[in-house]
Amino acid sequence: MLFKLKSKFKPAGDQPRAIDLLTDGLEKGMKKQTLLGVTGSGKTFTMANVIERTQMPTLVIAHNKTLAAQLCNEFREFFPENAVEYFVSYYDYYQPEAYIPHSDTYIEKEAMINEEIDRLRHACTQALLTRRDVIIVASVSAIYGLGSPTEYEKIVLHLRKGDELNRREMMEQLIAMQFTRTNAELKRGTFRLHGQVFEIMPVNEDAIYRFEISNRIDKIERLDPVTRTVKLTAEHGMVPTASRDPRSVGIGTNPSQSPLGKGKGLEDVWFFPAKHYVVGQEAREKAFVRIKEEMEAQLNFFEKHGKVLEYERLKRRVAYDLEMIKNIGYCNGIENYSRHFEGRAAGEPPFTLLDYFKRSCSRGERPFAPTGDGFLTIIDESHVTVPQVRAMYNGDKARKDTLVEHGFRLPSARDNRPLTYKEFEEKVGQTVYVSATPSEYEIRESEQVAEQIVRPTGLIDPEIVVRPITGLTPPRLPLKREESVSPLFKEGSGGGQLSQVEDLIIRIEERIKINERVLVTTLTKKMAEDLTTYLKEKNIKVAYIHSDVDTLERIEIITDLRLGKNDVIVGVNLLREGLDMPEVSLVAVLDADKEGFLRSETSLIQTIGRAARNVNGQVVLYADNITKSIQKAIDETQRRREIQLEYNKKHGITPKTIEKEIKNILEEFGINVRNAKGAKVRKIKGESVVDLDLMGDARPIKEIIKDKENQMREAAKDLQFELAAILRDEIRELAARKKVKSL
């Protein structure tokens, strides 16, 4: 068995049945299935069990990088001995190349590629090409062009202890693999030669490989890049198993030889290219001919139509790129020429991460691979992710069309693109959609639906209360847990003269008295800000979250809510998914009857789920009219409540609020986000630096910098990129201050 699930929990509630159904469906060759799992029912644990049973390499796709990172960490906890990797695109973090004609604004592709993102991407592709027990958790960027796995795998370097060594040939090979020679500090994708010592730092792991050489390789060691000591622990996913291909970096082919060295060193090491877009000399020369032919055709087109600016722009751009590729083998934006380097026809889909999965699967038989694909695809939050996958192609095409039209790119750049949805479906093979609210598409396409309604914790879906918006209609009283939702609208005494905001304030104050928290959703950012201001005037501790709020500030706001520094968060759609806050017992939806994306059946059910982790969970829908979406959300919530209540009664379960440790990830790394965001800027000997809060730390600045560099690496390893970015900025400012002091 390759995949080994480790957990102190056993499947419970609906989980065993869901696991059996999905596993049986995969064994029977079902192409598509759906796991309908309510919030808090342990969907990730269920899928982990399915992976262990089927022993299939797995691609998990999430609709944003944050949720993907969370899922990756969860799967790593379940599978500590297997390769669980995180895959994102540069475009998840950076603005892609674009041109805005009406303002004549050209946005160049970010040239400074995040080193950690690059490492993660290479770790994914190398894991797929060297072992069978692989789980990749990816954003939708899994369908972007990535470069040929055949070429990537073909150009490798194998260094063995005792082999004769030609230094010049080895350096030429590394340069051909897009490694860079340096005499300074080693970074990923670089190498250096000092006398009888040769050092290489691969792109897929945080380690340096040190070779002691004479006329042959005498010793191979794996070093920590910071301390320079021999590494005694392997990187995640580097545990030697029977599934591993001997070409894994740092793993010797001699099974008796420890991959960790133990003072003896390694027997051999394999290195993959430092870039995903690599080609041999012969293929490169053929590509140059095709690129020049295409350029001449496009230049003739511009000349014919009198587009002088576009003519000169394209001519200079392509000439510069070809010269860079000729001399150093690479250029910024080389992926736009990938069709020519890979020999693809116009319109033919590019290679993507999915092709690396297919390459991996071709290496050995899978217990469950009736379709011949051999890998499993899990689409998390499918009601959001599937539409995203559908939209990627058209969005990219529109951007590329503008670039081509104005002479920034050749027409073949259009073929550096995401897959169409049809192409995606053809490549992924067997698929499981996972959602608390799967859309009609997923249900219709699936050969079976496995429901996971019961929560092992016994927690019941929150009760639903409907109140008027204006206060002019009769009040609708809260339901008791034993009552059915169907006869929801009972008229009572009290007049119903309170507006939705007035009623909300009363409910908030009631929750504050019992030390519980509240989420409020509005229709617009402006409404969220205005309501926050109004609640503050009522002496309520409140903050708002929407897309304009910095990611780091969002983290702080959510942490403050859990800690009780705030009692309420007001937001728009950011409060629907991905938040795990058991302290929240009340969710209020303002203007719930305004039909649309934010008030659809799916959105309402997702929002209702935010209160499902607290035993006192309640949702208030403020509406003057009962829309179809509201009614469906109520009916579905009641159905789930009844199933859970029956289960609890049968098994004698008393629901308890989920207890989850409150972690402030900012403080864990010694960062005061307010200082980082709002620090005063002053002039020191002509240099503008952030006034960092160093009071109480008497250490030399050099030592503080070194400490923060270690923290930054750890943050990046834990997929906390925003945190790593702040640490990086602090390091830069500290370095500037050190320089000033030395003057």
Side-chain angles (χ1 to χ4, degrees):
M1 182 177 288
L2 304 178
F3 287 105
K4 293 182 179 179
L5 172 61
K6 295 193 175 182
S7 175
K8 62 181 180 180
F9 302 106
K10 299 293 183 183
D14 283 345
Q15 291 173 344
R17 183 173 179 274
I19 294 166
D20 288 342
L21 276 174
L22 294 171
T23 303
D24 184 63
L26 291 169
E27 188 174 12
K28 291 178 178 177
M30 292 183 182
K31 184 80 171 177
K32 298 176 182 178
Q33 302 180 83
T34 291
L35 173 62
L36 194 164
V38 300
T39 302
S41 64
K43 297 187 288 292
T44 305
F45 184 54
T46 295
M47 294 313 306
N49 276 273
V50 171
I51 293 171
E52 184 186 46
R53 286 204 190 176
T54 60
Q55 294 292 300
M56 297 172 71
T58 302
L59 169 64
V60 183
I61 302 179
H63 64 89
N64 66 53
K65 61 183 185 295
T66 304
L67 291 181
Q70 291 175 3
L71 280 170
C72 183
N73 283 325
E74 288 183 58
F75 278 113
R76 282 180 176 175
E77 290 178 3
F78 289 138
F79 297 102
E81 296 181 4
N82 305 111
V84 182
E85 307 292 351
Y86 177 63
F87 185 92
V88 289
S89 165
Y90 310 120
Y91 301 141
D92 287 317
Y93 291 88
Y94 304 131
Q95 169 68 47
E97 181 184 34
Y99 179 66
I100 307 171
H102 71 267
S103 60
D104 191 28
T105 304
Y106 173 62
I107 304 169
E108 191 170 7
K109 177 191 173 184
E110 177 65 61
M112 266 192 76
I113 295 172
N114 186 292
E115 184 180 292
E116 193 62 24
I117 294 175
D118 215 27
R119 183 191 72 80
L120 291 166
R121 290 165 67 85
H122 282 280
C124 291
T125 53
Q126 292 179 27
L128 286 169
L129 296 178
T130 59
R131 59 192 298 170
R132 296 171 59 190
D133 57 329
V134 182
I135 300 171
I136 306 294
V137 185
S139 67
V140 179
S141 62
I143 68 171
Y144 287 16
L146 187 59
S148 169
T150 304
E151 293 296 327
Y152 183 75
E153 188 180 26
K154 187 189 299 180
I155 309 176
V156 295
L157 176 63
H158 186 198
L159 300 176
R160 294 173 295 193
K161 184 179 176 181
D163 279 359
E164 292 185 3
L165 182 69
N166 185 312
R167 300 187 190 191
R168 183 179 180 86
E169 288 181 0
M170 185 168 106
M171 287 191 289
E172 288 177 350
Q173 173 75 348
L174 284 168
I175 290 170
M177 295 164 61
Q178 303 304 319
F179 281 80
T180 303
R181 184 177 183 179
T182 182
N183 292 319
E185 180 185 358
L186 281 173
K187 297 181 179 180
R188 297 189 186 104
T190 63
F191 69 92
R192 66 184 174 194
L193 179 62
H194 287 306
Q196 302 300 109
V197 175
F198 204 102
E199 294 180 330
I200 305 173
M201 190 168 185
V203 290
N204 68 310
E205 59 174 316
D206 199 15
I208 294 172
Y209 288 88
R210 186 176 184 272
F211 304 85
E212 293 184 7
I213 57 178
S214 52
N215 62 337
R216 63 183 67 249
I217 299 175
D218 299 318
K219 188 177 183 180
I220 306 175
E221 290 182 318
R222 183 171 178 268
L223 309 178
D224 185 285
V226 180
T227 65
R228 302 289 299 180
T229 58
V230 176
K231 294 198 88 170
L232 298 179
T233 57
E235 298 294 315
H236 177 77
M238 297 299 292
V239 179
T241 69
S243 68
R244 180 174 290 281
D245 189 289
R247 292 175 297 173
S248 297
V249 173
I251 303 296
T253 56
N254 181 355
S256 66
Q257 189 68 38
S258 167
L260 308 182
K262 293 185 178 180
K264 297 181 180 180
L266 303 172
E267 289 296 303
D268 68 342
V269 183
W270 289 83
F271 293 100
F272 281 80
K275 306 288 185 184
H276 281 108
Y277 292 94
V278 291
V279 291
Q281 185 62 34
E282 185 179 350
R284 185 187 303 176
E285 290 175 359
K286 291 181 179 179
F288 277 12
V289 173
R290 290 191 291 266
I291 292 170
K292 289 177 180 178
E293 289 175 351
E294 185 186 15
M295 180 183 68
E296 290 299 324
Q298 189 69 0
L299 290 177
N300 289 336
F301 173 82
F302 285 148
E303 187 176 32
K304 182 180 178 181
H305 291 81
K307 295 188 174 185
V308 179
L309 176 62
E310 290 81 357
Y311 179 101
E312 289 298 327
R313 183 183 285 153
L314 184 68
K315 184 178 179 181
R316 294 181 183 185
R317 165 62 65 87
V318 177
Y320 176 81
D321 287 347
L322 292 181
E323 193 66 23
M324 290 289 291
I325 296 170
K326 181 180 178 181
N327 287 289
I328 65 173
Y330 200 78
C331 75
N332 190 32
I334 192 173
E335 63 274 9
N336 290 296
Y337 303 102
S338 59
R339 192 188 88 190
H340 295 298
F341 287 115
E342 295 163 4
R344 292 185 281 119
E348 189 176 347
F351 295 104
T352 66
L353 183 67
L354 306 180
D355 294 283
Y356 284 79
F357 266 96
K358 288 181 175 291
R359 191 78 177 172
S360 170
C361 294
S362 68
R363 296 187 173 281
E365 295 182 359
R366 310 290 181 194
F368 291 35
T371 63
D373 299 297
F375 72 96
L376 172 65
T377 300
I378 299 171
I379 302 181
D380 190 55
E381 301 290 358
S382 58
H383 63 285
V384 180
T385 308
V386 168
Q388 266 198 349
V389 174
R390 289 182 180 277
M392 297 308 298
Y393 174 82
N394 288 330
D396 184 82
K397 184 178 182 301
R399 180 173 60 86
K400 293 285 179 52
D401 284 346
T402 303
L403 289 168
V404 171
E405 181 185 349
H406 292 87
F408 290 96
R409 290 294 173 193
L410 291 171
S412 57
R414 295 188 180 102
D415 290 312
N416 167 45
R417 58 174 177 82
L419 300 174
T420 65
Y421 191 73
K422 182 180 179 181
E423 292 166 345
F424 168 75
E425 287 200 302
E426 290 172 348
K427 286 180 178 283
V428 293
Q430 292 180 285
T431 302
V432 177
Y433 303 112
V434 180
S435 175
T437 54
S439 70
E440 292 182 6
Y441 170 81
E442 291 106 82
I443 300 297
R444 183 178 67 251
E445 290 290 306
S446 295
E447 294 177 67
Q448 70 174 2
V449 177
E451 283 198 341
Q452 191 167 295
I453 306 300
V454 172
R455 299 179 178 89
T457 59
L459 282 170
I460 307 166
D461 279 80
E463 63 181 4
I464 298 177
V465 178
V466 178
R467 298 289 298 177
I469 297 173
T470 61
L472 300 177
T473 56
R476 285 130 178 173
L477 300 180
L479 297 172
K480 296 179 180 179
R481 289 192 178 275
E482 296 79 13
E483 291 180 333
S484 170
V485 181
S486 300
L488 179 63
F489 309 110
K490 295 183 177 181
E491 303 210 2
S493 59
Q497 297 302 308
L498 298 178
S499 70
Q500 60 179 348
V501 175
E502 293 169 330
D503 183 82
L504 173 63
I505 291 173
I506 294 173
R507 296 176 185 274
I508 289 173
E509 290 173 344
E510 290 174 348
R511 299 290 164 164
I512 292 174
K513 289 178 183 177
I514 56 175
N515 196 31
E516 293 177 350
R517 314 288 184 260
V518 180
L519 298 182
V520 183
T521 70
T522 64
L523 285 172
T524 67
K525 299 176 188 177
K526 183 67 164 56
M527 290 172 66
E529 294 173 5
D530 290 346
L531 179 60
T532 300
T533 301
Y534 184 75
L535 294 177
K536 284 182 177 179
E537 292 173 355
K538 300 294 181 181
N539 297 317
I540 293 172
K541 295 183 292 184
V542 60
Y544 66 82
I545 291 180
H546 53 60
S547 57
D548 291 341
V549 177
D550 181 77
T551 301
L552 286 166
E553 191 174 351
R554 292 180 211 170
I555 295 171
E556 187 186 33
I557 290 170
I558 292 170
T559 302
D560 284 351
L561 183 81
R562 296 199 64 200
L563 290 170
K565 294 181 181 179
N566 286 322
D567 294 309
V568 182
I569 291 180
V570 183
V572 189
N573 63 334
L574 293 175
L575 301 183
R576 284 176 29 228
E577 298 158 352
L579 296 183
D580 189 1
M581 297 180 288
E583 296 80 10
V584 172
S585 65
L586 175 65
V587 174
V589 182
L590 302 186
D591 302 295
D593 57 0
K594 303 298 187 291
E595 281 275 21
F597 172 71
L598 295 177
R599 299 296 182 261
S600 66
E601 174 192 349
T602 297
S603 296
L604 288 174
I605 292 175
Q606 289 284 349
T607 304
I608 289 168
R610 296 309 100 202
R613 289 179 168 86
N614 192 293
V615 71
N616 296 322
Q618 185 184 75
V619 176
V620 182
L621 304 178
Y622 290 97
D624 290 333
N625 301 293
I626 305 305
T627 63
K628 289 182 179 180
S629 295
I630 291 176
Q631 191 61 59
K632 287 181 179 180
I634 290 172
D635 293 343
E636 177 60 17
T637 301
Q638 181 61 17
R639 183 181 76 87
R640 297 176 180 184
R641 281 172 57 88
E642 290 174 351
I643 292 172
Q644 186 72 60
L645 285 167
E646 184 179 349
Y647 178 85
N648 291 355
K649 185 178 179 180
K650 182 178 178 181
H651 294 85
I653 296 174
T654 301
K656 294 182 179 179
T657 298
I658 293 174
E659 294 182 2
K660 184 179 180 182
E661 183 183 358
I662 302 174
K663 293 183 178 180
N664 188 329
I665 62 170
L666 300 174
E667 291 182 358
E668 285 179 4
F669 286 89
I671 293 175
N672 185 324
V673 72
R674 289 189 175 89
N675 288 348
K677 294 182 298 183
K680 295 180 180 179
V681 177
R682 70 172 184 259
K683 294 283 184 177
I684 301 180
K685 292 186 180 181
E687 295 286 334
S688 178
V689 299
V690 175
D691 186 13
L692 298 173
D693 185 10
L694 299 176
M695 294 181 63
D697 196 338
R699 295 178 297 167
I701 291 181
K702 184 178 179 181
E703 188 175 333
I704 297 173
I705 289 174
K706 188 175 181 179
D707 185 42
K708 286 188 177 291
E709 285 175 342
N710 292 334
Q711 292 177 4
M712 181 179 68
R713 290 188 180 93
E714 290 301 314
K717 284 182 181 179
D718 293 336
L719 310 179
Q720 301 290 346
F721 295 116
E722 291 86 358
L723 196 57
I726 283 188
L727 284 160
R728 178 201 62 199
D729 293 341
E730 286 195 356
I731 291 167
R732 288 174 178 172
E733 299 300 339
L734 285 167
R737 173 171 290 193
K738 180 175 179 291
K739 182 178 179 181
V740 168
K741 284 189 173 183
S742 67
L743 294 177

